Amino acid sequence: MNITFFSNVTNEKNILESIPELKKYGVKFFTLDDSVQRIIKEAGDTEILIADAMATVSDELISGLGRLKFIQSEGVGYQGVDLDSAKRNGVMVSNNKGVNDTAVAETALLLILACLKELTGGQQAVYDGRQIEVKKASFGVVRELSECTVGLVGFGDIARATARLLDAFGARIIYSNRTRYEALEKEYNAEYVSLDELLGVSDFVSLHLAVCDATREIADEGFFDKMKKSAYLINTSRGDLVDNKALFDALLNGKIAGAGLDVISPEPVMKDNILLDERIREKLVLTPHTAGITSLTIKKIFRNIYSNIMHIINGEEPENRVI
């Protein structure tokens, strides 16, 4: 069985150390900087392709790997895989559903609390020698999470893990989703509402959606117009869910209070990205798309990759199949 890794996350060293069983197979490694032509030329006999969740697995690549049977996303996302091409070429596709739900939920909570407690501004004030000034100004102003309503846009694994954490803090949890999950609402202490209602009442709007035509740049000008001026946007899902210009304008003009972002589009995030404009810096809390990258998550990723490789080798149905 010939196996190819196409990733900026995993590499030959960490894969073969974590999954030494793969040494007996033909395994090749490429980064996202490698061209489709090079991969096809050097790994044209690939039967299993393990792809970075941020990788573009195009029709050209899928069609060019004539023996390809299976594509495994290293992460939860698989929006870069041309699913139509995979179907046409009889290639199965799986993701790593649920592998990082707790890790990402922790970062969503971190961003919510950092915004709520004005963490970055407070830290800078201490460095600037303004500690007492800020302490006095904060008297009776900073809220607790139990006083807040958090709206979850989407209610998949990560949103549910986030709801579980928020419930421990006593927050009011509401959610909007294409499908209502009445059977889960009591378990997560979450209330189903329309998206418009969620935007209108939430102190924090947290995005938990996959990227598709219907959700790309869902957080647009109209979205921010419906939010409270005192509210914050939280995004630990995908940068493509947000219209960067609309968010910039909303922050600059005071339409919303701020945002906590683990993801910004496009990646890699460069200095000229509009969301890095100094004029809105104090309204942002940023983490570098590391929410799902924990030691436990990586162990789960390796375990699931090996499990699905063995399923394919043994002629079995892979887990978490999306097509």
Side-chain angles (χ1 to χ4, degrees), residues 8 19 36 39 43 80 107-108 118 123 131 139 167-168 178 198 252 280 300 311:
N8 282 351
I19 317 176
V36 170
I39 297 171
T107 298
E118 300 179 357
Q123 177 172 282
Q131 177 257 322
F139 187 79
D167 189 40
R178 183 175 56 185
L198 182 149
L252 186 66
I280 60 170
K300 291 178 182 177
H311 283 316

Side-chain angles (χ1 to χ4, degrees), residues 44-64:
D45 57 356
T46 294
E47 295 163 89
I48 295 175
L49 179 66
I50 313 298
D52 189 318
M54 303 303 293
T56 298
V57 184
S58 64
D59 174 58
E60 181 183 4
L61 179 56
I62 294 170
S63 299

